Amino acid sequence: EKRGGGHPDNTPPQMLAARVPCVPRARVEQRRAGRIERPATNPSPTPLRCGVTPPPKRMSRAASSGGDSPPSTYVWYASFGSNILLERFECYLCGGRIGGMVRDMPGSRDPTPPVASSLWREVPYQLFFAHSSPTWAGGGVAFVDVTNLSPTLPTAFRLYRITLEQFNDVLAQENGMEPGAAGCRELTGDDAARLVRDWRTEASSLATEPDEVHAGITGTTGPPAESRAPSELWYGYVKCVGVKDGEPVLTFTCDADELRGFRSGDIPTNPPCEAYVDVIARGLVQCGLGDEEARGYLEDRVEASMTSDAGAAAV
């Protein structure tokens, strides 16, 4: 999405709830055999099933290179907004759309669904809502401040285990680009390995090295985020928020200049519409939260100020 203008075709890839007008095309299965409804405690060899009708797929780099493919690098994508809802996120991998989306997503070069899902309940970065999305009735959409610690208002991340190529493809689509587009600077396997090493260095002072490392464990924000898409786009700032089972946990948000603007009050935040909140709440319920608990979590963060010093600390 572009600031103030959405994607280049003015149809940002956000899910539109039934109460907001839309033109759905794809039919969605009402039941999905084998779907993970609660977070998995360990990576599963059985992928989650996509429930959308995908468009024709491009070949992944590994498949198009011919011969034996090297082992895939796996990462965890940490979602905090509408992609917490599994059905919504699947469209970035499998392509197509589900009921309420305004257009088909191209999907990943590799349409394989996530092999596992988990939940990090309290990571001390602040969730907030900003910009104005035409898809969401002019309401704000979710961002997370990955440059400050917010121990009193931590964020819940739903983690999806996918390949690094798939993460790069999701990043491109969230910024209105086709997977593999030159405008999106992709992460490499070396980048992923470096981020894991950096987090392990941050955790080296701990008595024992845990299987999971994030800001709530180390008390630090971790390795710095990097701009991977043009600054005028909303989600080009990639951050490794931790390590799980030896693999990096990656997310994306708005860039550092914008985060400073939101904290100073120079850039206003914008509360989300009810339909957007409903989508995130449904995703949190899939992760095991009760409906009232999920809505209370979101209400607290919608009402919180980004300019307040309470609960936030720069590191």
Side-chain angles (χ1 to χ4, degrees):
E1 291 179 85
K2 289 187 177 180
R3 294 174 189 160
H7 286 286
D9 61 356
N10 292 320
T11 52
Q14 302 287 355
M15 179 180 175
L16 188 64
R19 279 175 287 181
V20 182
C22 62
V23 187
R25 294 179 185 173
R27 295 183 180 275
V28 186
E29 297 173 352
Q30 298 300 312
R31 299 283 182 184
R32 300 183 183 185
R35 163 166 298 167
I36 296 176
E37 295 296 340
R38 291 179 180 271
T41 55
N42 293 301
S44 167
T46 304
L48 299 166
R49 289 185 57 194
C50 284
V52 296
T53 301
K57 306 308 300 174
R58 295 167 301 280
M59 293 180 71
S60 69
R61 286 202 186 98
S64 61
S65 62
D68 294 332
S69 300
S72 295
T73 297
Y74 276 88
V75 301
W76 295 86
Y77 162 52
S79 59
F80 52 82
S82 59
N83 283 345
I84 287 180
L85 184 69
L86 176 60
E87 297 91 329
R88 173 71 179 81
F89 174 61
E90 285 175 335
C91 295
Y92 285 109
L93 302 183
C94 307
R97 69 175 85 181
I98 63 172
M101 293 180 68
V102 298
R103 70 180 178 97
D104 287 338
M105 299 307 302
S108 174
R109 289 166 286 189
D110 174 5
T112 305
V115 298
S117 172
S118 188
L119 179 69
W120 275 0
R121 181 68 179 271
E122 295 187 345
V123 181
Y125 303 121
Q126 184 173 348
L127 177 71
F128 66 99
F129 302 87
H131 291 304
S132 176
S133 170
T135 302
W136 296 104
V141 289
F143 298 91
V144 66
D145 183 356
V146 294
T147 59
N148 276 355
L149 294 182
S150 178
T152 61
L153 278 175
T155 293
F157 288 99
R158 185 174 191 174
L159 312 185
Y160 297 103
R161 188 171 185 255
I162 58 177
T163 68
L164 180 59
E165 180 184 71
Q166 288 178 314
F167 174 82
N168 285 323
D169 290 351
V170 174
L171 173 65
Q173 291 173 85
E174 279 282 20
N175 286 289
M177 292 181 277
E178 289 283 324
C184 187
R185 190 165 58 93
E186 298 187 345
L187 282 85
T188 66
D190 288 342
D191 292 328
R194 169 179 53 83
L195 291 167
V196 170
R197 289 195 302 270
D198 289 349
W199 265 111
R200 284 177 170 163
T201 298
E202 300 245 357
S204 61
S205 62
L206 302 176
T208 58
E209 182 177 335
D211 293 332
E212 298 182 353
V213 178
H214 55 69
I217 294 172
T218 64
T220 63
T221 57
E226 302 175 352
S227 293
R228 293 275 172 175
S231 60
E232 69 269 17
L233 302 177
W234 287 359
Y235 289 105
Y237 201 46
V238 175
K239 169 72 173 179
C240 180
V241 296
V243 176
K244 177 176 171 59
D245 300 327
E247 297 167 340
V249 180
L250 305 171
T251 195
F252 37 75
T253 186
C254 58
D255 67 27
D257 288 340
E258 276 205 302
L259 289 172
R260 282 190 290 270
F262 288 123
R263 286 197 304 273
S264 69
D266 291 340
I267 305 176
T269 55
N270 185 25
C273 70
E274 184 179 348
Y276 187 73
V277 172
D278 285 346
V279 169
I280 302 175
R282 286 163 53 201
L284 290 170
V285 170
Q286 287 181 344
C287 294
L289 276 68
D291 184 70
E292 184 175 347
E293 183 181 17
R295 293 182 184 279
Y297 161 85
L298 291 168
E299 181 179 347
D300 288 345
R301 282 143 186 84
V302 169
E303 294 177 351
S305 171
M306 275 294 288
T307 59
S308 172
D309 291 332
V315 174

